[in-house]
């Protein structure tokens, strides 16, 4: 089976282990209930697509005592019932995909038109079903309290919920789909990261590219934002609006950083500065002084995020190849730019060398030269180079910060964004599993509008063991999230302090009072 061979080639021990456990889970379920006693909920989404092929893997590796029963059944899943719920507001792409998969793999999918509960009740009444294999994962809204084997809830007809990929992450799902090259719904290549109905699903705004199109779902850097496209019809415009949140990536260049000879301070500076003006940094990568590596990372970042900032690899020596990498990413030749050359010649005069003129090289016809004044009021001979949505900055911190001021002005001229606001709760506990259900609940209710994080701490003078962070641009949603979190935390857990808009996770200050933010009593 091609899927099994493809998974074997994935160089990730954790992923390999999750795949083996998922296949073993399905195999054991068939042993316990028999193929005719097992159903598979196939809704055409990425998770159920993964499950389809895990089930196929499980049934071609049968145990001896059930080999004959499975091989004598011509059904694509060897007697396992497949079903799908169709609604009037389904995406046509989802309907077409499930239909194609049914034909391709001989699934004989049962199409149901009732709600999930009624449909399951009907199946249980007319079949021998005892277990349903589902694509639930830990981060899903309905995953709270579920385990791999989980009996149906009280009030429902009795059956076993089986969740083989419960512990899989968003990244695991895409590792599988991309490694195996199995078909999946085309919507995922159009920026959709989580698919519901037509009236509550839009492309994920974090994947918007500079031309207005969207990068594919596997490019999403922050898996916590998987459901960012799941929204109400009334809030679609807000969800995809550039005025709400725009995204950036940072590509740091330097062998000296990778070799730990120099400490990278530019990343912290740029992340802090971008956040202060309402931008979300979604990816930071450090690459070596190699043109191909730089080009590949810049191209990938440019496809997924709205701006890319490079730091380092700009100068007169042979290892300064960032602009060559940018040129490769843009598919442009690296040439000597007349504007840059004239500035360098004016500054160095007769002392100019070939090394100096190396700093006049730029991607042909792709860059803007933006002059700026130094602290003494004179014009810098080394202008900011901007290639579309790529800002090229030097690696020396002082020089980078000087040029960043110019880049920042450029971004602000294109439109000011709402600032981020945050709430940090300091908890005197150390066991994250104790508070995880409360975080899951907040994510379920407000995860589309509020970022949630949990961070273990040590050696805090106030005894803090965990920091809980809530962040949003919407103060009302942030207030709701704070209240819900406080109400949902275990009764024996109380925040020793709550900080608003703290600049870092240290023993911070409160630059504005909770009353200023509308978040306190």
């Amino acid at each position: 089976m091609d899927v099994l061979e493809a998974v074997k080639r994935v160089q990730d021990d954790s992923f390999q282990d999750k795949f083996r456990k998922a296949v073993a889970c399905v195999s054991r379920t068939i042993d316990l209930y028999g193929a005719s006693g097992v159903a598979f909920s196939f809704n055409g989404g990425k998770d159920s697509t993964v499950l389809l092929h895990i089930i196929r893997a499980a049934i071609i590796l049968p145990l001896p005592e059930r080999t004959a029963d499975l091989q004598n059944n011509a059904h694509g899943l060897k007697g396992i019932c497949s079903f799908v719920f169709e609604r009037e507001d389904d995406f046509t792409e989802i309907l077409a995909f499930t239909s194609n998969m049914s034909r391709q793999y001989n699934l004989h999918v049962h199409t149901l038109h009732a709600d999930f509960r009624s449909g399951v009740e009907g199946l249980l009444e007319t079949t021998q079903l005892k277990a349903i294999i589902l694509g639930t994962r830990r981060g899903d809204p309905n995953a709270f309290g579920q385990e791999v084997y989980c009996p149906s809830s009280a009030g429902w007809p009795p059956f076993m919920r089986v969740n083989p990929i419960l512990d899989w992450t968003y990244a695991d799902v895409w590792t599988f789909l991309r490694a195996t090259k199995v078909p999946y719904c085309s919507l995922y290549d159009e920026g959709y990261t989580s698919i519901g109905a037509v009236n509550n699903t839009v492309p994920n705004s974090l994947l918007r590219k500079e031309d207005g199109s969207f990068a594919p779902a596997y490019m999403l850097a922050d898996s916590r934002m998987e459901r960012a496209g799941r929204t109400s019809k009334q809030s679609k415009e807000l969800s995809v609006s550039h005025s709400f949140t725009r995204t950036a990536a940072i590509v740091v260049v330097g062998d000296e950083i990778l070799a730990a000879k120099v400490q990278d301070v530019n990343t912290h500076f740029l992340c802090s500065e971008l956040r202060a003006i309402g931008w979300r940094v979604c990816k930071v990568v450090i690459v070596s002084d190699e043109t191909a590596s730089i080009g590949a990372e810049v191209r990938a970042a440019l496809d997924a995020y709205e701006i890319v900032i490079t730091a380092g690899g700009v100068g007169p020596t042979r290892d300064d190849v960032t602009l060559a990498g940018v040129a490769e990413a843009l598919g442009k030749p690296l040439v000597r730019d007349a504007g840059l050359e004239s500035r360098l010649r004016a500054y160095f005069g007769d002392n100019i060398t070939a090394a100096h003129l190396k700093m006049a090289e730029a991607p042909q016809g792709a860059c803007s030269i933006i002059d700026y004044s130094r602290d003494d009021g004179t014009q810098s001979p080394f202008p900011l180079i901007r290639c579309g949505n790529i800002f090229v900055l030097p690696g020396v911190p002082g020089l980078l910060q000087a040029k960043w001021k110019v880049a920042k002005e450029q971004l602000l001229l294109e439109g000011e964004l709402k600032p981020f606001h945050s709430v940090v709760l300091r908890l005197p506990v150390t066991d994250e599993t104790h508070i995880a259900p409360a975080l899951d609940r907040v994510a379920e209710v407000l995860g589309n509008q509020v970022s949630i994080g949990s961070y273990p701490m040590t050696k805090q003078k106030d005894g803090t063991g965990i920091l809980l962070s809530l962040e949003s641009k919407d103060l009302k949603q942030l207030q709701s999230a704070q209240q819900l979190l406080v109400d949902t935390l275990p009764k024996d857990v109380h925040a020793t302090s709550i900080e608003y808009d703290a600049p870092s996770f240290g023993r911070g200050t409160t630059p504005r009072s909770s009353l200023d933010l509308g978040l306190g009593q």
Side-chain angles (χ1 to χ4, degrees):
M1 184 181 183
D2 292 342
V3 165
L4 294 173
E5 293 303 317
V7 169
K8 288 179 182 178
R9 291 193 291 269
V10 177
Q11 297 180 349
D12 184 333
D13 292 342
S14 174
F15 172 79
Q16 295 270 8
D17 184 57
K18 290 178 182 179
F19 176 75
R20 285 192 293 268
K21 287 180 178 178
V23 173
C25 173
V26 172
S27 181
R28 184 57 177 159
T29 300
I30 297 172
D31 292 338
L32 290 171
Y33 302 107
S36 61
V38 178
F40 163 47
S41 175
F42 182 56
N43 63 11
K46 60 185 184 298
D47 298 330
S48 66
T49 300
V50 170
L51 268 188
L52 167 61
H53 297 285
I54 286 175
I55 294 171
R56 292 180 62 234
I59 62 180
I60 69 164
L61 298 172
L63 295 174
E65 57 267 26
R66 56 182 169 86
T67 298
D69 175 57
L70 290 174
Q71 291 183 345
N72 290 335
N73 194 314
H75 187 287
L77 295 183
K78 305 300 183 181
I80 295 176
C81 169
S82 302
F83 65 90
V84 61
F85 287 89
E86 285 192 4
R87 302 183 302 267
E88 292 183 357
D89 55 357
D90 279 332
F91 282 91
T92 56
E93 293 88 345
I94 284 287
L95 297 176
F97 177 71
T98 54
S99 177
N100 290 339
M101 292 303 95
S102 182
R103 287 194 300 271
Q104 181 172 340
Y105 297 108
N106 196 26
L107 302 181
H108 303 292
V109 175
H110 295 266
T111 301
L112 307 176
H113 296 281
D115 61 85
F116 189 83
R117 177 169 178 167
S118 299
V120 169
E121 288 176 342
L123 279 176
L124 293 173
E125 290 173 359
T126 57
T127 65
Q128 302 176 33
L129 292 183
K130 299 181 180 66
I132 298 177
I133 300 175
L134 302 165
T136 302
R137 292 188 290 114
R138 292 281 183 202
D140 294 345
N142 64 331
F144 180 72
Q146 291 205 42
E147 300 298 335
V148 174
Y149 289 98
C150 186
S152 55
S153 301
W156 282 63
F159 67 93
M160 182 64 72
R161 290 176 288 188
V162 183
N163 303 308
I165 61 171
L166 186 65
D167 292 319
W168 284 41
T169 65
Y170 181 83
D172 291 329
V173 169
W174 281 109
T175 294
F176 179 90
L177 293 175
R178 300 192 71 212
T180 58
K181 295 181 171 59
V182 296
Y184 55 81
C185 180
S186 61
L187 290 174
Y188 291 112
D189 286 334
E190 299 173 12
Y192 291 83
T193 52
S194 178
I195 300 174
V198 171
N199 63 358
N200 67 8
T201 309
V202 296
N204 194 318
S205 61
L206 294 178
L207 294 176
R208 182 186 288 272
K209 298 192 289 186
E210 61 179 278
D211 63 0
S213 62
F214 290 84
Y218 70 82
M219 296 294 294
L220 183 67
D222 187 351
S223 61
R224 296 176 301 176
M225 303 305 291
E226 175 184 355
R227 296 178 64 84
R230 298 288 284 271
T231 179
S232 66
K233 186 174 182 180
Q234 292 77 10
S235 62
K236 280 186 181 180
E237 184 177 347
L238 177 63
S239 296
V240 299
S241 170
H242 278 184
S243 66
F244 190 61
T245 298
R246 300 185 69 181
T247 58
I250 299 171
V251 178
V252 180
V253 180
D255 288 342
E256 67 278 12
I257 296 173
L258 292 171
K261 295 177 181 178
V262 174
Q263 186 172 1
D264 173 33
V265 297
N266 291 329
T267 295
H268 181 271
F269 171 80
L270 289 172
C271 287
S272 176
E273 286 287 305
L274 284 161
R275 184 184 183 281
I277 60 173
W279 284 74
R280 184 182 297 280
V281 177
C282 297
K283 182 178 184 179
V284 176
V285 60
I286 303 175
V287 297
S288 61
D289 299 318
E290 297 178 355
T291 300
S293 298
I294 297 167
E297 292 294 348
V298 170
R299 181 70 260 171
L302 197 61
D303 286 341
Y305 310 109
E306 294 174 84
I307 63 168
V308 179
I309 298 174
T310 67
V314 179
T317 60
R318 64 185 306 275
D319 60 340
D320 292 317
V321 294
T322 294
L323 279 162
V326 171
E328 188 167 301
L330 297 175
K332 301 285 187 179
L334 186 70
V335 299
R336 185 174 292 179
D337 183 271
L340 291 173
E341 181 179 358
S342 66
R343 288 164 173 78
L344 291 170
R345 289 190 181 278
Y347 183 71
F348 290 106
D350 294 339
N351 295 319
I352 197 164
T353 66
H356 292 134
L357 290 173
K358 183 178 185 297
M359 294 186 288
E361 296 175 346
Q364 186 176 35
C367 296
S368 301
I369 298 173
I370 305 168
D371 289 307
Y372 67 97
S373 298
R374 295 179 289 193
D375 290 340
D376 62 3
T378 61
Q379 179 176 299
S380 171
F382 309 107
L384 171 69
I385 298 176
R386 177 178 181 177
C387 304
N389 280 356
I390 305 170
F391 294 84
V392 181
L393 302 182
V396 177
L399 299 179
L400 177 141
Q401 291 171 24
K403 285 195 176 183
W404 163 250
K405 293 178 182 178
V406 189
K408 180 179 178 180
E409 290 174 359
Q410 292 277 307
L411 294 177
L412 292 174
L413 284 172
E414 295 174 8
E416 294 191 16
L417 304 177
K418 292 182 180 179
F420 286 101
H421 296 293
S422 66
V423 177
V424 176
L425 288 77
R426 302 178 68 88
L427 305 183
V429 296
T430 57
D431 184 1
E432 284 189 290
T433 63
H434 191 43
I435 60 167
L439 300 183
D440 291 341
R441 178 57 180 162
V442 176
E444 176 184 345
V445 177
L446 294 164
N448 284 351
Q449 299 293 339
V450 180
S451 296
I452 307 159
S454 174
Y455 307 93
M457 304 292 286
T458 58
K459 300 179 181 179
Q460 298 293 296
K461 292 182 179 180
D462 63 353
T464 295
I466 295 174
L467 292 182
L468 298 184
S469 171
L470 303 173
E471 183 178 271
S472 179
K473 292 189 173 186
D474 188 322
L475 286 174
K476 290 184 179 179
Q477 296 288 351
L478 188 61
Q479 181 180 20
S480 298
Q482 178 190 341
Q483 190 61 56
L484 178 60
L485 180 58
V486 171
D487 292 344
T488 313
L489 283 170
K491 294 182 179 179
D492 60 339
V493 176
H494 302 280
T496 55
S497 68
I498 300 177
E499 300 169 0
Y500 301 92
D501 280 359
S504 69
F505 283 161
R507 184 59 259 190
T509 59
T510 307
R512 284 184 286 179
S513 74
S514 59
L515 293 178
D516 291 334
L517 289 174
L519 297 171
Q521 299 297 321

